[in-house]
Amino acid sequence: MRNKDSWVHIKSDSDFSIHNIPFGIFSTDNKSPRIGIAIGDEIVDLLEVWELGLFKPLLIPKEVFKNQFLNDFIALGKEKTNKVRVLIQKELLNTNSLLREKPTLLVKQENAMMYMPVFVRDYTDFYSSIEHATNVGKMFRDPENALLPNWKHIPVGYHGRASSIVVSGTNIHRPMGQILLPDSKNPVYSESKKIDFELEMGFIIGKNTSLGDTIKIDEAKEYIFGKVLFNDWSARDVQKWEYIPLGPFLSKNFASSISPWVVTMEALEPFRIAGPEQTPEVLPYLKYKGEKNYDIKLQVLLKPENKEEKIISNSNFKYMYWNMAQQISHHTMNGCNLSVGDMMGSGTISGKSPDSYGSMLELTWSGQKPLQLSEGVQRTFIEDHDTIIIKGYCEKEGVKVGFGVVKTKLLPSIK
């Protein structure tokens, strides 16, 4: 099965290959928001596929596809959502497909408006990269004891603000906050001077649980529908003042940005790999078998206004110390209930080398080592009208599965 086997033109390097088939919500000038599938530079309108009768054996109501969010579709369960994905994949390879008889069924991505793919009721952000946690610990605590005593025993996390998660292309404003200036005992109210990105991936919960339920480690994959790129914006100067004793609050909840296409776990299956060795040995409920990490190449670019973009980080999701199965198992070990569409952030993804760090905080070592973007242009943190672009993809033996981009411009504060 190759891209060129499809009757839809798909470039060889497209993120949205015949192997991918991700889901999202789109509209056009003459189409209301609805579910689509990305293929090459096109979108397959699943509402029109339903109208052709191809989904009739699956007994899926029309309203599921004519929807502003994927939640109802995801709630059908993997047995049905996987069948939809495989059916579309087969039809895109079938030169006699009924889909070819309805030209309005395919929409150019450049002509479509993309939306938040899911309604996020709850959002949890983890802190699961040992390289990132170690770097932060070295900067702000004891370089010889960078990790806190609990870090290698639990997937550390906190509950964030779901309402301020926005889709790629949504500009955000520099936040105001309380900041403690150097050599001062009292804070000031000011715009944040240290806005940062955090390179993360998000995964979307695909199955409800009830209060009191726990998810065993070997059951966790059934509760993950798919993944998106995730930029967890941070105001580092606000964070430094507020995070003791309860952690991030206003320094994080002003915005997080996600990519619009949800790549299913089935599409990512060929890219599973072993994770890093976990020492000391974890508690029994966190022990797992098999390959639970994923080889997903990640890239961050910074584009100043009216200037060329520049790659500032090349990282990989495979570096994560705590994997998604462990995160879900830990999240529910106390009976916390999950809902379809809930978002889980991986935490900042940093690699072992300085060019693979997942934040400006690390890349510039808290501003001590400015990044040179072009002649006469450098950055310690993100400036007004800068755009941060995050890309991600998997590639193996000629098979590519990508996530597209999450792209966000930082605008001046609203004072």
Side-chain angles (χ1 to χ4, degrees), residues 195-307:
I195 297 298
D196 201 355
F197 73 89
E198 287 192 341
L199 171 61
E200 300 195 26
M201 298 202 75
F203 64 90
I204 294 168
I205 296 299
K207 192 174 178 181
N208 294 327
T209 67
S210 298
L211 190 64
D213 289 348
T214 59
I215 298 175
K216 302 295 186 291
I217 200 93
D218 56 354
E219 302 170 343
K221 67 178 182 179
E222 296 303 318
Y223 290 83
I224 306 174
F225 176 75
K227 292 179 66 62
V228 294
L229 301 172
F230 196 93
N231 181 355
D232 190 24
W233 293 89
S234 299
R236 297 300 185 187
D237 41 8
V238 176
Q239 183 179 2
K240 186 176 182 180
W241 171 241
E242 75 174 4
Y243 85 103
I244 297 172
L246 296 180
F249 181 34
L250 302 178
S251 57
K252 297 277 190 176
N253 70 8
F254 64 96
S256 299
S257 305
I258 68 169
S259 51
W261 294 105
V262 182
V263 177
T264 66
M265 299 313 298
E266 288 68 35
L268 295 173
E269 182 66 18
F271 308 101
R272 288 193 299 121
I273 59 172
E277 180 183 359
Q278 295 182 333
T279 55
E281 187 176 14
V282 299
L283 291 173
Y285 79 97
L286 289 171
K287 290 182 180 178
Y288 67 93
K289 296 179 181 179
E291 297 173 326
K292 301 292 186 184
N293 280 39
Y294 291 81
D295 185 4
I296 304 174
K297 298 174 179 64
L298 299 165
Q299 192 174 73
V300 183
L301 301 91
L302 193 157
K303 185 184 184 308
E305 190 169 35
N306 300 321
K307 295 186 182 297

Side-chain angles (χ1 to χ4, degrees), residues 1 19 267-273 291 295 297 393-401:
M1 183 169 61
H19 304 277
L268 295 173
E269 182 66 18
F271 308 101
R272 288 193 299 121
I273 59 172
E291 297 173 326
D295 185 4
K297 298 174 179 64
Y393 67 94
C394 310
E395 195 163 28
K396 179 181 179 182
E397 298 174 356
V399 173
K400 184 174 182 180
V401 172

Side-chain angles (χ1 to χ4, degrees), residues 302-366:
L302 193 157
K303 185 184 184 308
E305 190 169 35
N306 300 321
K307 295 186 182 297
E308 291 187 2
E309 62 194 33
K310 180 174 180 179
I311 299 169
I312 58 174
S313 176
N314 285 293
S315 196
N316 197 303
F317 187 66
K318 69 183 180 182
Y319 295 128
M320 302 307 288
Y321 187 89
W322 297 103
N323 60 57
M324 292 181 287
Q326 290 176 311
Q327 289 170 340
I328 286 185
S329 183
H330 184 67
H331 199 302
T332 62
M333 56 94 78
N334 65 346
C336 175
N337 53 313
L338 303 179
S339 298
V340 168
D342 283 357
M343 183 78 66
M344 305 285 173
S346 63
T348 305
I349 303 163
S350 291
K352 300 180 184 301
S353 61
D355 63 347
S356 66
Y357 293 163
S359 66
M360 294 293 283
L361 180 70
E362 297 165 273
L363 290 167
T364 70
W365 209 252
S366 195

